[in-house]
Amino acid sequence: MRKFYRVSKLLAAFLAFMLLVTGCSQSGSSNSTGSSNITVGVCLSSFHAGFMTAVNQAVTDKGKELGITVNVSNANGDASVQADNMQNYITQGVSAIVINPIDSNGIIPSIQQANSKGIPVFIIDTDAAGGEIINRNATDNIKAGKTAADYIAEKLKGKNSEYKGTVVNLAGKISQASGYERDKGFMD
């Protein structure tokens, strides 16, 4: 968990930097403390995975540190809820949206709507199949799947380099690009 938290803190710092680089703060006015009125909507797929819980905490903490309002929504694994959460952020006119898509294709209309409103969209981990994305911070999921398969194969290798055992591949959500890519890497 400590490693995930460290990675999440780096991700939060990176996202905050990208917001400043892309000019999100230009539309916000300054308050008396000199900080900008930046609001970032963060659409997470679920808090069930330790990594996403760590991302939630890291972006919230970094937002406080930088004087940025960070609103995090939890879709609980439901793509339609995530699309609604994103729609709410678009209606609120947030400065930027960070999303971890549940359905790589299903989220395209929401991303395109944010694009049409001039709201920059950033991706965490799972890619989207369309729309304009400012940046994606993710794992090489094909390599991760291959690494997992290689590790399991090594553990199943017996004497004389013969493999013995049965492997079940629990692929995850194939509607997510990350799930599809991990499965592909594992099966290749």
Side-chain angles (χ1 to χ4, degrees), residues 1-2 4-13 15 42 44 46-47 49-66 68 70-74 124:
M1 181 68 170
R2 196 173 228 162
F4 287 132
Y5 188 72
R6 195 172 37 229
V7 169
S8 297
K9 287 190 86 63
L10 289 172
L11 175 63
L15 291 172
V42 181
L44 297 180
S46 173
F47 292 167
F51 177 73
M52 285 302 142
T53 301
V55 167
N56 174 31
Q57 187 64 53
V59 297
T60 301
D61 290 348
K62 187 52 102 173
K64 286 178 186 172
E65 179 184 325
L66 296 174
I68 296 171
V70 178
N71 297 326
V72 181
S73 61
N74 177 359
I124 301 172

PDB file of all heavy atoms in Angstrom, residues 1-2 4-13 15 42 44 46-47 49-66 68 70-74 124:
ATOM      1  N   MET A   1       0.834  -1.195   0.000  1.00  0.00           N
ATOM      2  CA  MET A   1       0.000   0.000   0.000  1.00  0.00           C
ATOM      3  C   MET A   1       0.873   1.252   0.000  1.00  0.00           C
ATOM      4  O   MET A   1       0.540   2.242  -0.612  1.00  0.00           O
ATOM      5  CB  MET A   1      -0.920  -0.041   1.217  1.00  0.00           C
ATOM      6  CG  MET A   1      -1.836   1.131   1.318  1.00  0.00           C
ATOM      7  SD  MET A   1      -3.048   1.101  -0.008  1.00  0.00           S
ATOM      8  CE  MET A   1      -4.126   2.368   0.514  1.00  0.00           C
ATOM      9  N   ARG A   2       2.020   1.181   0.685  1.00  0.00           N
ATOM     10  CA  ARG A   2       2.908   2.325   0.762  1.00  0.00           C
ATOM     11  C   ARG A   2       3.412   2.724  -0.624  1.00  0.00           C
ATOM     12  O   ARG A   2       3.510   3.895  -0.952  1.00  0.00           O
ATOM     13  CB  ARG A   2       4.064   1.965   1.682  1.00  0.00           C
ATOM     14  CG  ARG A   2       4.841   3.127   2.151  1.00  0.00           C
ATOM     15  CD  ARG A   2       5.841   2.705   3.181  1.00  0.00           C
ATOM     16  NE  ARG A   2       5.716   3.631   4.271  1.00  0.00           N
ATOM     17  CZ  ARG A   2       6.151   3.435   5.464  1.00  0.00           C
ATOM     18  NH1 ARG A   2       6.731   2.315   5.773  1.00  0.00           N
ATOM     19  NH2 ARG A   2       6.014   4.342   6.381  1.00  0.00           N
ATOM     20  N   PHE A   4       1.864   2.204  -3.516  1.00  0.00           N
ATOM     21  CA  PHE A   4       0.750   2.819  -4.237  1.00  0.00           C
ATOM     22  C   PHE A   4       0.565   4.269  -3.798  1.00  0.00           C
ATOM     23  O   PHE A   4       0.308   5.142  -4.604  1.00  0.00           O
ATOM     24  CB  PHE A   4      -0.557   2.053  -4.021  1.00  0.00           C
ATOM     25  CG  PHE A   4      -0.627   0.754  -4.748  1.00  0.00           C
ATOM     26  CD1 PHE A   4      -1.028  -0.391  -4.095  1.00  0.00           C
ATOM     27  CD2 PHE A   4      -0.295   0.665  -6.085  1.00  0.00           C
ATOM     28  CE1 PHE A   4      -1.106  -1.591  -4.769  1.00  0.00           C
ATOM     29  CE2 PHE A   4      -0.377  -0.532  -6.770  1.00  0.00           C
ATOM     30  CZ  PHE A   4      -0.779  -1.657  -6.103  1.00  0.00           C
ATOM     31  N   TYR A   5       0.699   4.525  -2.499  1.00  0.00           N
ATOM     32  CA  TYR A   5       0.516   5.879  -1.995  1.00  0.00           C
ATOM     33  C   TYR A   5       1.586   6.807  -2.550  1.00  0.00           C
ATOM     34  O   TYR A   5       1.303   7.923  -2.957  1.00  0.00           O
ATOM     35  CB  TYR A   5       0.518   5.878  -0.461  1.00  0.00           C
ATOM     36  CG  TYR A   5       0.150   7.218   0.119  1.00  0.00           C
ATOM     37  CD1 TYR A   5      -1.159   7.679   0.039  1.00  0.00           C
ATOM     38  CD2 TYR A   5       1.098   8.026   0.707  1.00  0.00           C
ATOM     39  CE1 TYR A   5      -1.520   8.908   0.545  1.00  0.00           C
ATOM     40  CE2 TYR A   5       0.749   9.261   1.218  1.00  0.00           C
ATOM     41  CZ  TYR A   5      -0.561   9.694   1.131  1.00  0.00           C
ATOM     42  OH  TYR A   5      -0.911  10.919   1.632  1.00  0.00           O
ATOM     43  N   ARG A   6       2.846   6.330  -2.584  1.00  0.00           N
ATOM     44  CA  ARG A   6       3.948   7.122  -3.115  1.00  0.00           C
ATOM     45  C   ARG A   6       3.711   7.441  -4.595  1.00  0.00           C
ATOM     46  O   ARG A   6       3.876   8.572  -5.028  1.00  0.00           O
ATOM     47  CB  ARG A   6       5.258   6.364  -2.917  1.00  0.00           C
ATOM     48  CG  ARG A   6       6.481   7.193  -3.082  1.00  0.00           C
ATOM     49  CD  ARG A   6       7.752   6.453  -2.697  1.00  0.00           C
ATOM     50  NE  ARG A   6       7.701   5.066  -3.081  1.00  0.00           N
ATOM     51  CZ  ARG A   6       7.997   4.058  -2.284  1.00  0.00           C
ATOM     52  NH1 ARG A   6       8.384   4.250  -1.065  1.00  0.00           N
ATOM     53  NH2 ARG A   6       7.941   2.810  -2.715  1.00  0.00           N
ATOM     54  N   VAL A   7       3.292   6.435  -5.370  1.00  0.00           N
ATOM     55  CA  VAL A   7       2.996   6.640  -6.784  1.00  0.00           C
ATOM     56  C   VAL A   7       1.841   7.622  -6.931  1.00  0.00           C
ATOM     57  O   VAL A   7       1.866   8.505  -7.795  1.00  0.00           O
ATOM     58  CB  VAL A   7       2.663   5.300  -7.478  1.00  0.00           C
ATOM     59  CG1 VAL A   7       2.093   5.512  -8.858  1.00  0.00           C
ATOM     60  CG2 VAL A   7       3.905   4.420  -7.546  1.00  0.00           C
ATOM     61  N   SER A   8       0.832   7.503  -6.091  1.00  0.00           N
ATOM     62  CA  SER A   8      -0.327   8.389  -6.162  1.00  0.00           C
ATOM     63  C   SER A   8       0.062   9.830  -5.860  1.00  0.00           C
ATOM     64  O   SER A   8      -0.448  10.760  -6.479  1.00  0.00           O
ATOM     65  CB  SER A   8      -1.406   7.934  -5.190  1.00  0.00           C
ATOM     66  OG  SER A   8      -1.854   6.659  -5.556  1.00  0.00           O
ATOM     67  N   LYS A   9       0.949  10.037  -4.909  1.00  0.00           N
ATOM     68  CA  LYS A   9       1.399  11.393  -4.601  1.00  0.00           C
ATOM     69  C   LYS A   9       2.141  11.990  -5.797  1.00  0.00           C
ATOM     70  O   LYS A   9       1.959  13.163  -6.127  1.00  0.00           O
ATOM     71  CB  LYS A   9       2.271  11.407  -3.345  1.00  0.00           C
ATOM     72  CG  LYS A   9       1.470  11.200  -2.066  1.00  0.00           C
ATOM     73  CD  LYS A   9       2.288  11.457  -0.849  1.00  0.00           C
ATOM     74  CE  LYS A   9       2.336  12.858  -0.414  1.00  0.00           C
ATOM     75  NZ  LYS A   9       1.141  13.513  -0.002  1.00  0.00           N
ATOM     76  N   LEU A  10       2.952  11.179  -6.453  1.00  0.00           N
ATOM     77  CA  LEU A  10       3.641  11.658  -7.649  1.00  0.00           C
ATOM     78  C   LEU A  10       2.632  11.993  -8.741  1.00  0.00           C
ATOM     79  O   LEU A  10       2.774  13.003  -9.434  1.00  0.00           O
ATOM     80  CB  LEU A  10       4.638  10.610  -8.151  1.00  0.00           C
ATOM     81  CG  LEU A  10       5.872  10.404  -7.295  1.00  0.00           C
ATOM     82  CD1 LEU A  10       6.673   9.203  -7.798  1.00  0.00           C
ATOM     83  CD2 LEU A  10       6.737  11.650  -7.292  1.00  0.00           C
ATOM     84  N   LEU A  11       1.629  11.152  -8.885  1.00  0.00           N
ATOM     85  CA  LEU A  11       0.583  11.390  -9.878  1.00  0.00           C
ATOM     86  C   LEU A  11      -0.143  12.700  -9.570  1.00  0.00           C
ATOM     87  O   LEU A  11      -0.389  13.508 -10.465  1.00  0.00           O
ATOM     88  CB  LEU A  11      -0.402  10.229  -9.910  1.00  0.00           C
ATOM     89  CG  LEU A  11      -1.618  10.392 -10.809  1.00  0.00           C
ATOM     90  CD1 LEU A  11      -1.194  10.511 -12.265  1.00  0.00           C
ATOM     91  CD2 LEU A  11      -2.550   9.215 -10.627  1.00  0.00           C
ATOM     92  N   ALA A  12      -0.470  12.916  -8.331  1.00  0.00           N
ATOM     93  CA  ALA A  12      -1.175  14.145  -7.959  1.00  0.00           C
ATOM     94  C   ALA A  12      -0.322  15.370  -8.265  1.00  0.00           C
ATOM     95  O   ALA A  12      -0.823  16.366  -8.803  1.00  0.00           O
ATOM     96  CB  ALA A  12      -1.540  14.110  -6.473  1.00  0.00           C
ATOM     97  N   ALA A  13       0.956  15.300  -7.948  1.00  0.00           N
ATOM     98  CA  ALA A  13       1.844  16.419  -8.251  1.00  0.00           C
ATOM     99  C   ALA A  13       1.932  16.645  -9.757  1.00  0.00           C
ATOM    100  O   ALA A  13       1.906  17.782 -10.240  1.00  0.00           O
ATOM    101  CB  ALA A  13       3.226  16.159  -7.666  1.00  0.00           C
ATOM    102  N   LEU A  15      -0.342  15.853 -12.032  1.00  0.00           N
ATOM    103  CA  LEU A  15      -1.613  16.398 -12.517  1.00  0.00           C
ATOM    104  C   LEU A  15      -1.731  17.883 -12.184  1.00  0.00           C
ATOM    105  O   LEU A  15      -2.171  18.675 -13.017  1.00  0.00           O
ATOM    106  CB  LEU A  15      -2.791  15.627 -11.937  1.00  0.00           C
ATOM    107  CG  LEU A  15      -2.941  14.198 -12.450  1.00  0.00           C
ATOM    108  CD1 LEU A  15      -4.030  13.472 -11.664  1.00  0.00           C
ATOM    109  CD2 LEU A  15      -3.240  14.159 -13.930  1.00  0.00           C
ATOM    110  N   VAL A  42     -12.622  14.957 -10.246  1.00  0.00           N
ATOM    111  CA  VAL A  42     -11.918  13.682 -10.390  1.00  0.00           C
ATOM    112  C   VAL A  42     -12.953  12.559 -10.377  1.00  0.00           C
ATOM    113  O   VAL A  42     -13.641  12.361  -9.380  1.00  0.00           O
ATOM    114  CB  VAL A  42     -10.874  13.477  -9.265  1.00  0.00           C
ATOM    115  CG1 VAL A  42     -10.139  12.154  -9.441  1.00  0.00           C
ATOM    116  CG2 VAL A  42      -9.891  14.646  -9.223  1.00  0.00           C
ATOM    117  N   LEU A  44     -13.401   8.845 -10.368  1.00  0.00           N
ATOM    118  CA  LEU A  44     -12.751   7.548 -10.173  1.00  0.00           C
ATOM    119  C   LEU A  44     -13.745   6.417 -10.399  1.00  0.00           C
ATOM    120  O   LEU A  44     -14.940   6.559 -10.129  1.00  0.00           O
ATOM    121  CB  LEU A  44     -12.130   7.457  -8.790  1.00  0.00           C
ATOM    122  CG  LEU A  44     -11.007   8.468  -8.512  1.00  0.00           C
ATOM    123  CD1 LEU A  44     -10.450   8.285  -7.105  1.00  0.00           C
ATOM    124  CD2 LEU A  44      -9.901   8.379  -9.550  1.00  0.00           C
ATOM    125  N   SER A  46     -13.846   3.435  -8.881  1.00  0.00           N
ATOM    126  CA  SER A  46     -14.267   2.774  -7.652  1.00  0.00           C
ATOM    127  C   SER A  46     -13.207   2.990  -6.589  1.00  0.00           C
ATOM    128  O   SER A  46     -12.043   3.212  -6.898  1.00  0.00           O
ATOM    129  CB  SER A  46     -14.431   1.275  -7.911  1.00  0.00           C
ATOM    130  OG  SER A  46     -14.678   0.580  -6.718  1.00  0.00           O
ATOM    131  N   PHE A  47     -13.609   2.905  -5.348  1.00  0.00           N
ATOM    132  CA  PHE A  47     -12.632   2.957  -4.252  1.00  0.00           C
ATOM    133  C   PHE A  47     -12.315   1.558  -3.741  1.00  0.00           C
ATOM    134  O   PHE A  47     -11.659   1.398  -2.725  1.00  0.00           O
ATOM    135  CB  PHE A  47     -13.159   3.808  -3.095  1.00  0.00           C
ATOM    136  CG  PHE A  47     -13.269   5.280  -3.397  1.00  0.00           C
ATOM    137  CD1 PHE A  47     -13.967   6.106  -2.553  1.00  0.00           C
ATOM    138  CD2 PHE A  47     -12.677   5.842  -4.513  1.00  0.00           C
ATOM    139  CE1 PHE A  47     -14.085   7.463  -2.802  1.00  0.00           C
ATOM    140  CE2 PHE A  47     -12.780   7.202  -4.782  1.00  0.00           C
ATOM    141  CZ  PHE A  47     -13.484   8.009  -3.920  1.00  0.00           C
ATOM    142  N   ALA A  49     -10.382  -0.719  -5.135  1.00  0.00           N
ATOM    143  CA  ALA A  49      -8.964  -1.018  -5.320  1.00  0.00           C
ATOM    144  C   ALA A  49      -8.152  -0.065  -4.448  1.00  0.00           C
ATOM    145  O   ALA A  49      -8.418   1.131  -4.391  1.00  0.00           O
ATOM    146  CB  ALA A  49      -8.578  -0.856  -6.789  1.00  0.00           C
ATOM    147  N   GLY A  50      -7.156  -0.605  -3.775  1.00  0.00           N
ATOM    148  CA  GLY A  50      -6.302   0.205  -2.909  1.00  0.00           C
ATOM    149  C   GLY A  50      -5.641   1.351  -3.649  1.00  0.00           C
ATOM    150  O   GLY A  50      -5.468   2.442  -3.097  1.00  0.00           O
ATOM    151  N   PHE A  51      -5.293   1.111  -4.907  1.00  0.00           N
ATOM    152  CA  PHE A  51      -4.635   2.154  -5.686  1.00  0.00           C
ATOM    153  C   PHE A  51      -5.546   3.365  -5.857  1.00  0.00           C
ATOM    154  O   PHE A  51      -5.121   4.507  -5.690  1.00  0.00           O
ATOM    155  CB  PHE A  51      -4.200   1.611  -7.055  1.00  0.00           C
ATOM    156  CG  PHE A  51      -3.568   2.647  -7.938  1.00  0.00           C
ATOM    157  CD1 PHE A  51      -2.289   3.104  -7.671  1.00  0.00           C
ATOM    158  CD2 PHE A  51      -4.255   3.177  -9.018  1.00  0.00           C
ATOM    159  CE1 PHE A  51      -1.689   4.072  -8.468  1.00  0.00           C
ATOM    160  CE2 PHE A  51      -3.675   4.143  -9.829  1.00  0.00           C
ATOM    161  CZ  PHE A  51      -2.387   4.598  -9.546  1.00  0.00           C
ATOM    162  N   MET A  52      -6.812   3.150  -6.189  1.00  0.00           N
ATOM    163  CA  MET A  52      -7.728   4.271  -6.400  1.00  0.00           C
ATOM    164  C   MET A  52      -8.040   4.996  -5.090  1.00  0.00           C
ATOM    165  O   MET A  52      -8.247   6.205  -5.081  1.00  0.00           O
ATOM    166  CB  MET A  52      -9.015   3.817  -7.090  1.00  0.00           C
ATOM    167  CG  MET A  52      -8.845   3.543  -8.559  1.00  0.00           C
ATOM    168  SD  MET A  52      -8.245   4.991  -9.446  1.00  0.00           S
ATOM    169  CE  MET A  52      -7.140   4.220 -10.602  1.00  0.00           C
ATOM    170  N   THR A  53      -8.057   4.271  -3.987  1.00  0.00           N
ATOM    171  CA  THR A  53      -8.229   4.913  -2.682  1.00  0.00           C
ATOM    172  C   THR A  53      -7.040   5.824  -2.407  1.00  0.00           C
ATOM    173  O   THR A  53      -7.202   6.953  -1.938  1.00  0.00           O
ATOM    174  CB  THR A  53      -8.380   3.853  -1.575  1.00  0.00           C
ATOM    175  OG1 THR A  53      -9.518   3.043  -1.870  1.00  0.00           O
ATOM    176  CG2 THR A  53      -8.549   4.489  -0.212  1.00  0.00           C
ATOM    177  N   ALA A  54      -5.837   5.345  -2.746  1.00  0.00           N
ATOM    178  CA  ALA A  54      -4.631   6.148  -2.564  1.00  0.00           C
ATOM    179  C   ALA A  54      -4.632   7.359  -3.493  1.00  0.00           C
ATOM    180  O   ALA A  54      -4.213   8.450  -3.100  1.00  0.00           O
ATOM    181  CB  ALA A  54      -3.394   5.291  -2.797  1.00  0.00           C
ATOM    182  N   VAL A  55      -5.109   7.183  -4.729  1.00  0.00           N
ATOM    183  CA  VAL A  55      -5.214   8.304  -5.665  1.00  0.00           C
ATOM    184  C   VAL A  55      -6.161   9.354  -5.083  1.00  0.00           C
ATOM    185  O   VAL A  55      -5.854  10.552  -5.096  1.00  0.00           O
ATOM    186  CB  VAL A  55      -5.693   7.847  -7.064  1.00  0.00           C
ATOM    187  CG1 VAL A  55      -6.095   9.039  -7.925  1.00  0.00           C
ATOM    188  CG2 VAL A  55      -4.619   7.028  -7.765  1.00  0.00           C
ATOM    189  N   ASN A  56      -7.303   8.922  -4.576  1.00  0.00           N
ATOM    190  CA  ASN A  56      -8.269   9.834  -3.966  1.00  0.00           C
ATOM    191  C   ASN A  56      -7.599  10.666  -2.875  1.00  0.00           C
ATOM    192  O   ASN A  56      -7.699  11.895  -2.864  1.00  0.00           O
ATOM    193  CB  ASN A  56      -9.445   9.035  -3.402  1.00  0.00           C
ATOM    194  CG  ASN A  56     -10.423   9.905  -2.628  1.00  0.00           C
ATOM    195  OD1 ASN A  56     -10.611  11.077  -2.913  1.00  0.00           O
ATOM    196  ND2 ASN A  56     -11.036   9.319  -1.616  1.00  0.00           N
ATOM    197  N   GLN A  57      -6.914  10.009  -1.980  1.00  0.00           N
ATOM    198  CA  GLN A  57      -6.270  10.716  -0.863  1.00  0.00           C
ATOM    199  C   GLN A  57      -5.181  11.653  -1.373  1.00  0.00           C
ATOM    200  O   GLN A  57      -5.079  12.800  -0.929  1.00  0.00           O
ATOM    201  CB  GLN A  57      -5.677   9.711   0.133  1.00  0.00           C
ATOM    202  CG  GLN A  57      -5.143  10.368   1.390  1.00  0.00           C
ATOM    203  CD  GLN A  57      -6.240  11.042   2.189  1.00  0.00           C
ATOM    204  OE1 GLN A  57      -7.239  10.438   2.523  1.00  0.00           O
ATOM    205  NE2 GLN A  57      -6.068  12.323   2.500  1.00  0.00           N
ATOM    206  N   ALA A  58      -4.379  11.188  -2.324  1.00  0.00           N
ATOM    207  CA  ALA A  58      -3.261  11.987  -2.825  1.00  0.00           C
ATOM    208  C   ALA A  58      -3.734  13.249  -3.551  1.00  0.00           C
ATOM    209  O   ALA A  58      -3.192  14.336  -3.328  1.00  0.00           O
ATOM    210  CB  ALA A  58      -2.385  11.139  -3.745  1.00  0.00           C
ATOM    211  N   VAL A  59      -4.738  13.122  -4.420  1.00  0.00           N
ATOM    212  CA  VAL A  59      -5.192  14.315  -5.151  1.00  0.00           C
ATOM    213  C   VAL A  59      -5.899  15.294  -4.211  1.00  0.00           C
ATOM    214  O   VAL A  59      -5.781  16.508  -4.387  1.00  0.00           O
ATOM    215  CB  VAL A  59      -6.076  13.976  -6.385  1.00  0.00           C
ATOM    216  CG1 VAL A  59      -5.301  13.191  -7.405  1.00  0.00           C
ATOM    217  CG2 VAL A  59      -7.359  13.293  -5.999  1.00  0.00           C
ATOM    218  N   THR A  60      -6.590  14.772  -3.218  1.00  0.00           N
ATOM    219  CA  THR A  60      -7.239  15.638  -2.233  1.00  0.00           C
ATOM    220  C   THR A  60      -6.190  16.404  -1.435  1.00  0.00           C
ATOM    221  O   THR A  60      -6.294  17.628  -1.260  1.00  0.00           O
ATOM    222  CB  THR A  60      -8.152  14.808  -1.309  1.00  0.00           C
ATOM    223  OG1 THR A  60      -9.129  14.139  -2.113  1.00  0.00           O
ATOM    224  CG2 THR A  60      -8.847  15.677  -0.278  1.00  0.00           C
ATOM    225  N   ASP A  61      -5.170  15.678  -0.960  1.00  0.00           N
ATOM    226  CA  ASP A  61      -4.100  16.322  -0.189  1.00  0.00           C
ATOM    227  C   ASP A  61      -3.337  17.351  -1.023  1.00  0.00           C
ATOM    228  O   ASP A  61      -3.059  18.460  -0.559  1.00  0.00           O
ATOM    229  CB  ASP A  61      -3.111  15.273   0.343  1.00  0.00           C
ATOM    230  CG  ASP A  61      -3.702  14.390   1.431  1.00  0.00           C
ATOM    231  OD1 ASP A  61      -4.799  14.703   1.949  1.00  0.00           O
ATOM    232  OD2 ASP A  61      -3.065  13.358   1.755  1.00  0.00           O
ATOM    233  N   LYS A  62      -3.007  16.993  -2.265  1.00  0.00           N
ATOM    234  CA  LYS A  62      -2.252  17.904  -3.129  1.00  0.00           C
ATOM    235  C   LYS A  62      -3.100  19.127  -3.468  1.00  0.00           C
ATOM    236  O   LYS A  62      -2.582  20.242  -3.531  1.00  0.00           O
ATOM    237  CB  LYS A  62      -1.797  17.185  -4.395  1.00  0.00           C
ATOM    238  CG  LYS A  62      -0.865  18.004  -5.260  1.00  0.00           C
ATOM    239  CD  LYS A  62       0.315  18.562  -4.487  1.00  0.00           C
ATOM    240  CE  LYS A  62       1.564  17.791  -4.705  1.00  0.00           C
ATOM    241  NZ  LYS A  62       2.748  18.429  -4.089  1.00  0.00           N
ATOM    242  N   GLY A  63      -4.383  18.932  -3.675  1.00  0.00           N
ATOM    243  CA  GLY A  63      -5.268  20.067  -3.928  1.00  0.00           C
ATOM    244  C   GLY A  63      -5.253  21.052  -2.779  1.00  0.00           C
ATOM    245  O   GLY A  63      -5.146  22.270  -2.989  1.00  0.00           O
ATOM    246  N   LYS A  64      -5.342  20.543  -1.544  1.00  0.00           N
ATOM    247  CA  LYS A  64      -5.292  21.419  -0.360  1.00  0.00           C
ATOM    248  C   LYS A  64      -3.972  22.167  -0.312  1.00  0.00           C
ATOM    249  O   LYS A  64      -3.933  23.372  -0.043  1.00  0.00           O
ATOM    250  CB  LYS A  64      -5.488  20.595   0.914  1.00  0.00           C
ATOM    251  CG  LYS A  64      -6.901  20.136   1.120  1.00  0.00           C
ATOM    252  CD  LYS A  64      -7.029  19.291   2.373  1.00  0.00           C
ATOM    253  CE  LYS A  64      -8.445  18.726   2.478  1.00  0.00           C
ATOM    254  NZ  LYS A  64      -8.569  17.755   3.579  1.00  0.00           N
ATOM    255  N   GLU A  65      -2.892  21.453  -0.574  1.00  0.00           N
ATOM    256  CA  GLU A  65      -1.561  22.057  -0.540  1.00  0.00           C
ATOM    257  C   GLU A  65      -1.424  23.192  -1.560  1.00  0.00           C
ATOM    258  O   GLU A  65      -0.812  24.217  -1.290  1.00  0.00           O
ATOM    259  CB  GLU A  65      -0.505  20.974  -0.813  1.00  0.00           C
ATOM    260  CG  GLU A  65       0.926  21.463  -0.833  1.00  0.00           C
ATOM    261  CD  GLU A  65       1.897  20.369  -1.206  1.00  0.00           C
ATOM    262  OE1 GLU A  65       1.667  19.193  -0.818  1.00  0.00           O
ATOM    263  OE2 GLU A  65       2.874  20.672  -1.906  1.00  0.00           O
ATOM    264  N   LEU A  66      -2.015  23.012  -2.747  1.00  0.00           N
ATOM    265  CA  LEU A  66      -1.882  23.997  -3.824  1.00  0.00           C
ATOM    266  C   LEU A  66      -3.012  25.025  -3.854  1.00  0.00           C
ATOM    267  O   LEU A  66      -3.014  25.910  -4.707  1.00  0.00           O
ATOM    268  CB  LEU A  66      -1.829  23.278  -5.179  1.00  0.00           C
ATOM    269  CG  LEU A  66      -0.634  22.359  -5.398  1.00  0.00           C
ATOM    270  CD1 LEU A  66      -0.780  21.588  -6.707  1.00  0.00           C
ATOM    271  CD2 LEU A  66       0.668  23.161  -5.383  1.00  0.00           C
ATOM    272  N   ILE A  68      -6.141  24.308  -4.544  1.00  0.00           N
ATOM    273  CA  ILE A  68      -7.038  23.891  -5.623  1.00  0.00           C
ATOM    274  C   ILE A  68      -8.188  23.109  -5.009  1.00  0.00           C
ATOM    275  O   ILE A  68      -7.978  22.234  -4.178  1.00  0.00           O
ATOM    276  CB  ILE A  68      -6.287  22.998  -6.640  1.00  0.00           C
ATOM    277  CG1 ILE A  68      -5.176  23.781  -7.333  1.00  0.00           C
ATOM    278  CG2 ILE A  68      -7.237  22.394  -7.656  1.00  0.00           C
ATOM    279  CD1 ILE A  68      -4.259  22.929  -8.194  1.00  0.00           C
ATOM    280  N   VAL A  70     -10.606  20.234  -5.102  1.00  0.00           N
ATOM    281  CA  VAL A  70     -10.663  18.926  -5.757  1.00  0.00           C
ATOM    282  C   VAL A  70     -11.934  18.230  -5.307  1.00  0.00           C
ATOM    283  O   VAL A  70     -12.135  17.990  -4.119  1.00  0.00           O
ATOM    284  CB  VAL A  70      -9.431  18.058  -5.408  1.00  0.00           C
ATOM    285  CG1 VAL A  70      -9.535  16.698  -6.057  1.00  0.00           C
ATOM    286  CG2 VAL A  70      -8.145  18.752  -5.838  1.00  0.00           C
ATOM    287  N   ASN A  71     -12.806  17.935  -6.267  1.00  0.00           N
ATOM    288  CA  ASN A  71     -14.038  17.196  -5.988  1.00  0.00           C
ATOM    289  C   ASN A  71     -13.892  15.803  -6.578  1.00  0.00           C
ATOM    290  O   ASN A  71     -13.739  15.655  -7.794  1.00  0.00           O
ATOM    291  CB  ASN A  71     -15.242  17.900  -6.622  1.00  0.00           C
ATOM    292  CG  ASN A  71     -15.466  19.276  -6.033  1.00  0.00           C
ATOM    293  OD1 ASN A  71     -15.225  19.505  -4.854  1.00  0.00           O
ATOM    294  ND2 ASN A  71     -15.904  20.201  -6.859  1.00  0.00           N
ATOM    295  N   VAL A  72     -13.915  14.800  -5.725  1.00  0.00           N
ATOM    296  CA  VAL A  72     -13.729  13.416  -6.164  1.00  0.00           C
ATOM    297  C   VAL A  72     -15.063  12.692  -6.129  1.00  0.00           C
ATOM    298  O   VAL A  72     -15.785  12.747  -5.135  1.00  0.00           O
ATOM    299  CB  VAL A  72     -12.710  12.678  -5.271  1.00  0.00           C
ATOM    300  CG1 VAL A  72     -12.511  11.246  -5.747  1.00  0.00           C
ATOM    301  CG2 VAL A  72     -11.378  13.422  -5.243  1.00  0.00           C
ATOM    302  N   SER A  73     -15.380  12.003  -7.229  1.00  0.00           N
ATOM    303  CA  SER A  73     -16.598  11.190  -7.276  1.00  0.00           C
ATOM    304  C   SER A  73     -16.220   9.725  -7.441  1.00  0.00           C
ATOM    305  O   SER A  73     -15.230   9.393  -8.076  1.00  0.00           O
ATOM    306  CB  SER A  73     -17.511  11.639  -8.419  1.00  0.00           C
ATOM    307  OG  SER A  73     -16.866  11.506  -9.663  1.00  0.00           O
ATOM    308  N   ASN A  74     -17.025   8.866  -6.850  1.00  0.00           N
ATOM    309  CA  ASN A  74     -16.819   7.420  -6.875  1.00  0.00           C
ATOM    310  C   ASN A  74     -17.991   6.796  -7.631  1.00  0.00           C
ATOM    311  O   ASN A  74     -19.123   6.861  -7.177  1.00  0.00           O
ATOM    312  CB  ASN A  74     -16.754   6.892  -5.444  1.00  0.00           C
ATOM    313  CG  ASN A  74     -16.603   5.392  -5.359  1.00  0.00           C
ATOM    314  OD1 ASN A  74     -16.553   4.685  -6.367  1.00  0.00           O
ATOM    315  ND2 ASN A  74     -16.520   4.889  -4.138  1.00  0.00           N
ATOM    316  N   ILE A 124      -6.240   8.752 -15.880  1.00  0.00           N
ATOM    317  CA  ILE A 124      -5.444   7.935 -14.976  1.00  0.00           C
ATOM    318  C   ILE A 124      -5.651   6.478 -15.373  1.00  0.00           C
ATOM    319  O   ILE A 124      -6.788   6.010 -15.441  1.00  0.00           O
ATOM    320  CB  ILE A 124      -5.878   8.092 -13.504  1.00  0.00           C
ATOM    321  CG1 ILE A 124      -5.762   9.526 -13.034  1.00  0.00           C
ATOM    322  CG2 ILE A 124      -5.071   7.175 -12.598  1.00  0.00           C
ATOM    323  CD1 ILE A 124      -6.355   9.762 -11.653  1.00  0.00           C
TER     324      ILE A 124
END
